[in-house]
Amino acid sequence: MRILGIETSCDETGIAIYDDKLGLLSHELYSQVKLHADYGGVVPELASRDHVRKIIPLIKKALVDADTSHEQLDGVAFTQGPGLAGALLVGSSVGRSLAYAWNIPAVGVHHMEGHLLAPMLDDPAPEFPFVALLVSGGHTMLVRVDGIGRYEMLGESLDDAAGEAFDKTAKLLGLDYPGGPLLAKLAEQGVPGRFVFPRPMTDRPGLDFSFSGLKTFAANTIRDQGDDLQTKADIACAFQTAVVETLQIKCRRAMEQTGLNRLVIAGGVSANQSLRQALQAMMQKNGGQVYYPRLEFCTDNGAMIAYAGMQRLKAGQHEGLSAKAKPRWPLESLEPV
């Protein structure tokens, strides 16, 4: 089976061709970072318009790079939600229209399920069951995964997600958009221990997250301590350490609660090297294994959508002619495969 995958949930247009026997044949990614940088964040209307401009040329290029014609495709997978409504409508309408024109089935994919399954694109792939830490954009969640579509929510962000807190704190530090990776780079120059930030919601039971207070703590520290470069680096270091240790503590609790010894971390923040090192050390100490997507598949991409869509198309799932975008879509509501 050979699938075209389309990702347009936010500010990146991702296209991929995936074959269940040959693996990933091609993938294209266009980022709108420069478009939104002047505004300090994603402007939904501009994002939608840019998807419209880029999606068809990227699909054509992916097909050429994969040496594939549309007659060789067995299905189209597109991100149906969650995400920005306008951006989702671009991918869902183009994906569903192409599938209709080519007389092949189309399937809508949950964006977070795509991230969750992204490590499956590489060897060795994690075996079910496992615990997944999903840290992508406005989402931070811990999920028990017993199979595709068999998800139990263990904990999630109650306000700001980790990625949002990274970006907002970076903005407070005067860093450009997107700020998360720049904050992580600045933190490398910081002196550990000069500032100590709280580890939110780790002093009580449970697996939910809250990072808005940590962002406020960072804002107050920045206001009180001045804005020289070394102080900014030290604050960035303290902030990142607090986020990483909070996620580490919650992951340890999740592993103990479920009794599982496999951990998957996926989503944009999973590219953070400090987080990877901390979770790797934790799992090695406890005799477990941690899995990550390769760096190019941590952020939004078409490959993860093609892979997730293939699993659902193989199970006989597909969309009708009136496929709709789902800006809000609970992960645990998905049907099992």
Side-chain angles (χ1 to χ4, degrees):
M1 179 177 279
R2 190 167 294 188
I3 299 295
L4 167 66
I6 300 173
E7 155 61 24
T8 62
S9 64
C10 189
D11 60 343
E12 289 166 316
T13 312
I15 307 295
I17 309 294
Y18 187 86
D19 186 283
D20 60 351
K21 294 184 175 60
L22 301 176
L24 186 64
L25 301 181
S26 68
H27 71 100
E28 303 293 331
L29 184 67
Y30 173 77
S31 174
Q32 301 176 2
V33 165
K34 292 181 180 179
L35 175 67
H36 301 289
D38 290 342
Y39 304 94
V42 177
V43 181
E45 178 64 22
L46 294 180
S48 302
R49 293 181 181 185
D50 217 34
H51 285 307
V52 171
R53 284 190 288 266
K54 301 297 182 181
I55 189 169
I56 296 300
L58 288 175
I59 290 173
K60 289 180 177 179
K61 189 173 188 309
L63 288 169
V64 170
D65 290 348
D67 192 22
T68 296
S69 66
H70 69 80
E71 290 90 353
Q72 295 172 281
L73 293 174
D74 300 295
V76 177
F78 57 87
T79 302
Q80 194 169 20
L84 301 176
L88 291 168
L89 282 170
V90 175
S92 60
S93 59
V94 170
R96 190 64 196 85
S97 298
L98 288 176
Y100 178 78
W102 295 338
N103 195 29
I104 55 178
V107 64
V109 173
H110 194 290
H111 180 73
M112 297 309 294
E113 181 172 67
H115 277 301
L116 190 154
L117 298 177
M120 303 290 187
L121 292 164
D122 291 309
D123 290 322
E127 296 180 2
F128 301 115
F130 57 78
V131 170
L133 172 65
L134 302 179
V135 275
S136 172
H139 303 274
T140 300
M141 57 182 72
L142 278 164
V143 185
R144 178 183 173 124
V145 181
D146 289 301
I148 297 175
R150 298 171 60 196
Y151 308 131
E152 178 189 353
M153 189 67 64
L154 302 174
E156 59 187 327
S157 50
L158 303 178
D159 41 54
D160 282 357
E164 289 176 313
F166 261 99
D167 287 340
K168 290 178 180 179
T169 301
K171 190 172 185 178
L172 292 170
L173 288 167
L175 302 177
D176 291 335
Y177 170 85
L182 296 178
L183 186 151
K185 186 174 182 179
L186 180 62
E188 295 174 2
Q189 306 169 33
V191 177
R194 178 182 173 188
F195 300 106
V196 179
F197 283 27
R199 278 57 171 160
M201 294 187 70
T202 59
D203 59 347
R204 67 191 76 174
L207 295 172
D208 287 332
F209 302 91
S210 170
F211 291 105
S212 63
L214 189 61
K215 175 201 64 184
T216 302
F217 192 95
N220 293 336
T221 305
I222 294 166
R223 181 195 63 204
D224 296 340
Q225 296 297 325
D227 60 356
D228 65 278
L229 183 59
Q230 187 58 54
T231 296
K232 287 184 175 181
D234 295 344
I235 291 172
C237 179
F239 172 83
Q240 177 173 259
T241 299
V243 173
V244 168
E245 290 190 3
T246 298
L247 294 173
Q248 184 184 35
I249 290 168
K250 296 288 182 161
C251 284
R252 183 185 302 115
R253 288 183 185 176
M255 306 310 291
E256 293 172 352
Q257 179 176 311
T258 60
L260 300 176
N261 65 351
R262 285 184 291 271
L263 174 66
V264 163
I265 171 175
V269 183
S270 70
N272 184 284
Q273 293 302 307
S274 293
L275 179 59
R276 288 189 174 214
Q277 292 167 8
L279 294 179
Q280 181 72 44
M282 180 191 79
M283 294 303 292
Q284 285 183 344
K285 180 179 179 181
N286 296 324
Q289 181 66 44
V290 62
Y291 299 85
Y292 312 97
R294 69 180 88 162
L295 290 177
E296 62 188 315
F297 296 146
C298 289
T299 54
D300 296 348
N301 64 88
M304 67 183 191
I305 301 304
Y307 181 86
M310 176 171 288
Q311 310 313 310
R312 295 197 168 272
L313 284 170
K314 282 185 173 181
Q317 298 182 20
H318 58 83
E319 302 297 331
L321 290 176
S322 60
K324 299 178 181 179
K326 298 180 180 180
R328 296 178 182 272
W329 190 6
L331 180 66
E332 60 269 34
S333 70
L334 296 180
E335 295 181 16
V337 170

